[in-house]
Amino acid sequence: MTTPAPQDDGAASHLKGMAVPELTLPATDGTSVSLNQPGLTVIYAYPRTSPPDGAALDGWDTIPGARGCTPQSCAFRDHFAELKQLGASRVFGLSTQTTDYQKEAAERLHLPFPLLSDSGLSLADALRLPTFDAAGLTLFKRLTMIIENGRIAHVFYPVFPPEKNAHDVIDWLRSRT
């Protein structure tokens, strides 16, 4: 089954140029992370990773852009060294899932960077990030932000196909040099 492509609904058009709020999010490496830091940060927001048994939510495949969180994370994993070489001081994945849930995915996928939890929706609310509801959960629509010195320099939205997102970020970073 082919997952329908998401359409640009304008829900992220306000983000470029915004200052990132002073708040911290729990990370799978046990730290608390502020995105309002010096340097260049790449943060990709995704709806959710499925549990190890692969069970998706009912109707998941009919939600445009929902499927593909694992391939997206694996692409960022596989291109992590290149992202660092191109100036990314930090790379993070972000979802509304709890840190405990995310720890399993980070370990299973051998991610060289932490996943951040916005389970309380503090960042989502502060930045008015695009979300959707599924099975009683509030989830991020897939987007990637490049944050430079605490300000959003670029936004990829909608992100499709998810497995190409890391390459698109690399192309954008290269275009700046």
Side-chain angles (χ1 to χ4, degrees):
M1 168 182 250
T2 303
T3 303
Q7 301 302 309
D8 189 347
D9 57 7
S13 60
H14 66 284
L15 291 170
K16 187 175 178 183
M18 282 185 76
V20 177
E22 300 249 358
L23 55 84
T24 59
L25 298 172
T28 53
D29 64 2
T31 63
S32 292
V33 172
S34 170
L35 297 174
N36 189 351
Q37 297 293 313
L40 190 75
T41 300
V42 175
I43 183 164
Y44 66 97
Y46 58 93
R48 68 185 297 271
T49 54
S50 294
D53 66 7
L57 299 175
D58 286 341
W60 193 247
D61 290 331
T62 64
I63 301 169
R67 174 111 14 220
C69 301
T70 297
Q72 183 182 26
S73 290
C74 290
F76 276 98
R77 175 198 67 205
D78 295 347
H79 292 285
F80 180 70
E82 190 172 3
L83 290 162
K84 299 288 273 181
Q85 288 172 348
L86 290 169
S89 37
R90 304 183 310 163
V91 175
F92 301 107
L94 171 73
S95 79
T96 61
Q97 293 171 295
T98 65
T99 303
D100 285 342
Y101 188 100
Q102 292 174 319
K103 280 181 185 176
E104 182 282 323
E107 290 170 7
R108 175 171 37 97
L109 301 175
H110 306 286
L111 300 180
F113 52 83
L115 299 177
L116 305 179
S117 172
D118 191 21
S119 61
L121 302 175
S122 57
L123 185 65
D125 291 343
L127 291 178
R128 300 184 328 272
L129 295 176
T131 61
F132 67 99
D133 294 323
L137 303 170
T138 300
L139 306 170
F140 286 120
K141 290 185 180 180
R142 194 178 310 280
L143 80 150
T144 298
M145 297 179 286
I146 310 296
I147 301 170
E148 191 165 20
N149 299 321
R151 196 164 287 281
I152 301 170
H154 191 76
V155 178
F156 295 86
Y157 179 83
V159 169
F160 192 82
E163 63 274 11
K164 278 194 67 212
N165 186 216
H167 190 266
D168 292 339
V169 170
I170 287 167
D171 286 347
W172 186 83
L173 291 171
R174 278 191 182 132
S175 75
R176 294 173 28 116
T177 57

